[in-house]
Short mmCIF file of all heavy atoms in Angstrom, two decimals:
data_model
loop_
_atom_site.label_atom_id
_atom_site.label_comp_id
_atom_site.label_asym_id
_atom_site.label_seq_id
_atom_site.Cartn_x
_atom_site.Cartn_y
_atom_site.Cartn_z
N GLU A 14 -69.08 -78.63 -54.67
CA GLU A 14 -69.62 -77.71 -55.61
C GLU A 14 -70.71 -76.76 -54.84
O GLU A 14 -70.78 -75.61 -55.15
CB GLU A 14 -70.34 -78.35 -56.75
CG GLU A 14 -69.33 -79.15 -57.72
CD GLU A 14 -68.49 -78.22 -58.56
OE1 GLU A 14 -68.76 -76.93 -58.46
OE2 GLU A 14 -67.61 -78.65 -59.32
N ARG A 17 -68.89 -74.16 -52.96
CA ARG A 17 -68.42 -73.16 -53.80
C ARG A 17 -69.50 -72.09 -54.12
O ARG A 17 -69.17 -70.97 -54.46
CB ARG A 17 -67.79 -73.72 -55.01
CG ARG A 17 -66.38 -74.31 -54.72
CD ARG A 17 -65.90 -75.17 -55.84
NE ARG A 17 -65.70 -74.31 -57.08
CZ ARG A 17 -65.23 -74.84 -58.16
NH1 ARG A 17 -65.02 -76.18 -58.34
NH2 ARG A 17 -65.10 -74.08 -59.28
N TYR A 90 -56.37 -70.03 -59.05
CA TYR A 90 -55.99 -71.51 -59.35
C TYR A 90 -57.25 -72.40 -59.40
O TYR A 90 -58.30 -72.05 -58.81
CB TYR A 90 -55.01 -71.95 -58.31
CG TYR A 90 -55.55 -71.94 -56.84
CD1 TYR A 90 -56.22 -73.04 -56.30
CD2 TYR A 90 -55.29 -70.80 -56.04
CE1 TYR A 90 -56.61 -72.98 -55.01
CE2 TYR A 90 -55.76 -70.77 -54.72
CZ TYR A 90 -56.44 -71.87 -54.21
OH TYR A 90 -56.94 -71.88 -52.84
N ARG A 91 -57.03 -73.54 -60.12
CA ARG A 91 -58.24 -74.37 -60.22
C ARG A 91 -58.48 -75.16 -58.86
O ARG A 91 -57.58 -75.33 -58.08
CB ARG A 91 -57.82 -75.41 -61.33
CG ARG A 91 -57.89 -74.91 -62.69
CD ARG A 91 -57.29 -75.84 -63.70
NE ARG A 91 -55.83 -75.99 -63.57
CZ ARG A 91 -55.10 -76.75 -64.35
NH1 ARG A 91 -55.72 -77.51 -65.28
NH2 ARG A 91 -53.78 -76.70 -64.21
N LEU A 92 -59.75 -75.37 -58.69
CA LEU A 92 -60.23 -75.87 -57.31
C LEU A 92 -60.74 -77.34 -57.50
O LEU A 92 -60.98 -77.89 -58.52
CB LEU A 92 -61.37 -75.05 -56.84
CG LEU A 92 -61.08 -73.53 -56.65
CD1 LEU A 92 -62.30 -72.81 -56.20
CD2 LEU A 92 -59.93 -73.32 -55.54
N ALA A 93 -60.82 -77.97 -56.34
CA ALA A 93 -61.35 -79.31 -56.26
C ALA A 93 -62.81 -79.24 -55.91
O ALA A 93 -63.25 -78.39 -55.08
CB ALA A 93 -60.69 -80.18 -55.21
N PRO A 94 -63.63 -80.10 -56.42
CA PRO A 94 -63.40 -80.86 -57.68
C PRO A 94 -63.70 -79.92 -58.85
O PRO A 94 -64.23 -78.90 -58.64
CB PRO A 94 -64.50 -81.96 -57.53
CG PRO A 94 -65.66 -81.33 -56.89
CD PRO A 94 -64.99 -80.38 -55.88
N PRO A 95 -63.35 -80.29 -60.00
CA PRO A 95 -62.78 -81.59 -60.46
C PRO A 95 -61.37 -81.74 -60.43
O PRO A 95 -60.78 -82.79 -60.79
CB PRO A 95 -63.37 -81.66 -61.90
CG PRO A 95 -63.25 -80.21 -62.37
CD PRO A 95 -63.59 -79.35 -61.19
N HIS A 96 -60.64 -80.68 -59.98
CA HIS A 96 -59.21 -80.78 -59.98
C HIS A 96 -58.63 -81.16 -58.67
O HIS A 96 -59.00 -80.60 -57.61
CB HIS A 96 -58.61 -79.45 -60.41
CG HIS A 96 -59.24 -78.91 -61.70
ND1 HIS A 96 -58.83 -79.51 -62.92
CD2 HIS A 96 -60.09 -77.92 -62.00
CE1 HIS A 96 -59.52 -78.82 -63.89
NE2 HIS A 96 -60.26 -77.92 -63.32
N HIS A 97 -57.59 -82.03 -58.65
CA HIS A 97 -56.98 -82.48 -57.48
C HIS A 97 -55.52 -82.16 -57.43
O HIS A 97 -54.93 -81.93 -58.51
CB HIS A 97 -57.18 -83.97 -57.26
CG HIS A 97 -58.64 -84.41 -57.30
ND1 HIS A 97 -59.50 -84.11 -56.33
CD2 HIS A 97 -59.35 -85.08 -58.18
CE1 HIS A 97 -60.70 -84.61 -56.55
NE2 HIS A 97 -60.66 -85.17 -57.74
N PHE A 98 -54.90 -82.30 -56.28
CA PHE A 98 -53.41 -82.08 -56.14
C PHE A 98 -52.72 -83.00 -57.24
O PHE A 98 -53.16 -84.23 -57.40
CB PHE A 98 -52.94 -82.54 -54.80
CG PHE A 98 -51.45 -82.50 -54.56
CD1 PHE A 98 -50.79 -81.36 -54.34
CD2 PHE A 98 -50.72 -83.67 -54.71
CE1 PHE A 98 -49.44 -81.32 -54.08
CE2 PHE A 98 -49.35 -83.68 -54.56
CZ PHE A 98 -48.65 -82.46 -54.31
N PRO A 99 -51.67 -82.52 -57.90
CA PRO A 99 -50.94 -81.35 -57.68
C PRO A 99 -51.40 -80.12 -58.54
O PRO A 99 -50.62 -79.14 -58.70
CB PRO A 99 -49.54 -81.72 -57.99
CG PRO A 99 -49.69 -82.67 -59.18
CD PRO A 99 -50.91 -83.40 -58.81
N VAL A 100 -52.57 -80.16 -59.12
CA VAL A 100 -52.97 -79.09 -60.02
C VAL A 100 -52.91 -77.75 -59.36
O VAL A 100 -52.40 -76.78 -59.93
CB VAL A 100 -54.41 -79.39 -60.65
CG1 VAL A 100 -55.02 -78.20 -61.29
CG2 VAL A 100 -54.38 -80.59 -61.53
N GLN A 101 -53.51 -77.60 -58.23
CA GLN A 101 -53.55 -76.33 -57.51
C GLN A 101 -52.19 -75.82 -57.32
O GLN A 101 -51.83 -74.59 -57.52
CB GLN A 101 -54.29 -76.46 -56.26
CG GLN A 101 -55.74 -76.75 -56.38
CD GLN A 101 -56.07 -78.24 -56.50
OE1 GLN A 101 -55.07 -79.09 -56.68
NE2 GLN A 101 -57.29 -78.62 -56.44
N ASP A 104 -50.52 -74.62 -60.50
CA ASP A 104 -51.03 -73.36 -60.95
C ASP A 104 -50.41 -72.20 -60.29
O ASP A 104 -49.88 -71.24 -61.02
CB ASP A 104 -52.49 -73.24 -60.71
CG ASP A 104 -53.41 -73.99 -61.83
OD1 ASP A 104 -52.82 -74.53 -62.77
OD2 ASP A 104 -54.64 -73.99 -61.60
N GLU A 197 -60.75 -84.36 -50.57
CA GLU A 197 -61.08 -83.85 -51.91
C GLU A 197 -59.93 -83.19 -52.61
O GLU A 197 -59.88 -83.31 -53.81
CB GLU A 197 -62.30 -82.88 -51.87
CG GLU A 197 -63.63 -83.54 -51.49
CD GLU A 197 -64.21 -84.43 -52.59
OE1 GLU A 197 -63.70 -84.39 -53.77
OE2 GLU A 197 -65.19 -85.14 -52.32
N TYR A 198 -59.08 -82.61 -51.91
CA TYR A 198 -57.81 -82.09 -52.43
C TYR A 198 -57.02 -83.17 -53.17
O TYR A 198 -56.45 -82.95 -54.17
CB TYR A 198 -57.02 -81.31 -51.30
CG TYR A 198 -55.85 -80.62 -51.82
CD1 TYR A 198 -55.78 -79.83 -52.99
CD2 TYR A 198 -54.60 -80.72 -51.14
CE1 TYR A 198 -54.69 -79.09 -53.33
CE2 TYR A 198 -53.43 -80.11 -51.49
CZ TYR A 198 -53.49 -79.30 -52.64
OH TYR A 198 -52.32 -78.59 -53.07
N LEU A 199 -56.95 -84.32 -52.44
CA LEU A 199 -56.11 -85.36 -52.95
C LEU A 199 -56.89 -86.30 -53.90
O LEU A 199 -56.28 -86.86 -54.81
CB LEU A 199 -55.53 -86.22 -51.75
CG LEU A 199 -54.68 -85.46 -50.78
CD1 LEU A 199 -54.37 -86.23 -49.57
CD2 LEU A 199 -53.38 -84.99 -51.49
N SER A 200 -58.14 -86.51 -53.64
CA SER A 200 -58.90 -87.47 -54.45
C SER A 200 -60.36 -87.43 -54.08
O SER A 200 -60.77 -87.05 -52.95
CB SER A 200 -58.43 -88.90 -54.25
OG SER A 200 -59.27 -89.91 -54.75
N SER A 201 -61.31 -87.83 -54.92
CA SER A 201 -62.69 -87.97 -54.62
C SER A 201 -63.07 -89.32 -54.18
O SER A 201 -64.26 -89.70 -54.09
CB SER A 201 -63.61 -87.53 -55.87
OG SER A 201 -63.46 -86.13 -55.98
#
Side-chain angles (χ1 to χ4, degrees):
E14 294 287 359
R17 285 169 62 180
Y90 58 90
R91 287 170 286 178
L92 301 175
H96 306 288
H97 304 291
F98 174 83
V100 167
Q101 295 83 352
D104 280 357
E197 291 289 350
Y198 184 46
L199 299 170
S200 168
S201 290

